[in-house]
C-alpha cells in the first residue's frame, strides 16, 4: 500500500496540473489562482493574511499582487480607519477571473469527485481537514 504522503502528493500533482493549465489559458501565473479564490470569499485582506491563507511566503505574495494589480485583477486601498494599512480587493475583472477559476477548480477536482460517492467525498473532506489541523498544530508547536 502506498504511503499517505505519496498518495497526497500524487493527487495534488494531478489536480494542480489541471488547475495550472486552466490558469495558463487565462494568462494567470502560479499563486494567482489561490489569491483570486481567497479574495473571492474574503472580500478584501491585507498582504500578510493573503500570504498566510494561501500558504505563500509574504515576499512572494508582494510580487504576485503587483502582477495582478498591473493586470487589473486587484486593487489596493488604505482604509480610512488606519491609513498605514493596505487592503487588497478584487476589481470587476478580478471577480470575473475568480469566477472562471472557481469553475476551473471544480473541473480539476471532477475526476476525483466522480470516483467517489457523495458520502465518500464528505468523509474524505472531513478526514483531510482533520489531518491538516493535526499537521498544522504540530508545525505550530515546533515553532513555539
Amino acid at each position: 500500500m502506498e504511503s499517505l504522503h505519496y498518495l497526497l502528493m500524487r493527487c495534488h500533482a494531478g489536480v494542480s496540473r489541471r488547475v495550472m493549465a486552466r490558469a495558463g489559458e487565462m494568462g494567470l501565473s502560479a499563486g494567482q489562482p489561490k489569491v483570486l479564490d481567497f479574495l473571492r470569499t474574503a472580500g478584501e485582506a491585507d498582504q500578510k493574511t493573503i500570504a498566510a491563507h494561501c500558504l505563500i511566503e509574504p515576499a512572494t505574495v508582494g510580487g504576485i499582487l503587483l502582477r495582478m494589480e498591473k493586470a487589473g485583477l486587484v486593487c489596493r486601498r488604505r482604509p480610512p480607519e488606519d491609513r498605514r494599512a493596505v487592503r487588497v480587493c478584487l476589481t470587476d475583472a478580478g471577480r470575473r477571473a475568480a469566477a472562471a477559476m472557481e469553475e476551473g477548480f471544480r473541473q480539476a477536482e471532477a475526476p476525483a469527485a466522480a470516483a467517489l460517492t457523495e458520502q465518500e467525498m464528505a468523509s474524505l473532506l472531513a478526514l483531510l481537514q482533520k489531518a491538516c489541523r493535526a499537521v498544522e498544530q504540530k508545525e505550530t508547536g515546533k515553532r513555539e
Side-chain angles (χ1 to χ4, degrees):
M1 181 173 208
E2 295 174 295
S3 69
L4 174 63
H5 166 262
Y6 186 72
L7 290 171
L8 289 171
M9 186 179 65
R10 278 182 55 201
C11 194
H12 175 266
V15 171
S16 186
R17 277 191 299 275
R18 292 166 146 287
V19 166
M20 288 315 299
R22 176 67 178 128
E25 292 168 3
M26 295 174 56
L28 301 174
S29 61
Q32 291 180 348
K34 288 191 279 189
V35 172
L36 285 171
D37 191 52
F38 173 67
L39 290 174
R40 180 185 58 77
T41 57
E44 68 176 22
D46 60 55
Q47 186 171 321
K48 183 178 177 181
T49 302
I50 294 168
H53 182 81
C54 295
L55 305 175
I56 303 171
E57 291 297 321
T60 303
V61 168
I64 290 170
L65 291 174
L66 183 61
R67 287 188 298 281
M68 292 177 78
E69 190 172 28
K70 287 180 180 177
L73 299 173
V74 299
C75 61
R76 299 176 201 232
R77 69 173 193 84
R78 294 192 184 279
E81 65 275 6
D82 184 357
R83 299 298 298 161
R84 294 172 296 166
V86 176
R87 307 287 289 176
V88 179
C89 60
L90 294 175
T91 62
D92 288 340
R95 281 188 285 282
R96 287 190 298 275
M101 272 314 308
E102 183 180 14
E103 179 58 27
F105 292 137
R106 271 196 296 275
Q107 289 174 0
E109 296 169 358
L116 303 173
T117 67
E118 194 173 313
Q119 180 59 43
E120 287 171 332
M121 180 58 94
S123 294
L124 176 62
L125 292 175
L127 291 168
L128 285 172
Q129 288 170 344
K130 185 176 182 179
C132 285
R133 281 192 302 274
V135 169
E136 290 163 355
Q137 285 175 346
K138 189 72 170 173
E139 288 175 348
T140 301
K142 287 182 181 177
R143 285 193 286 238
E144 292 177 345

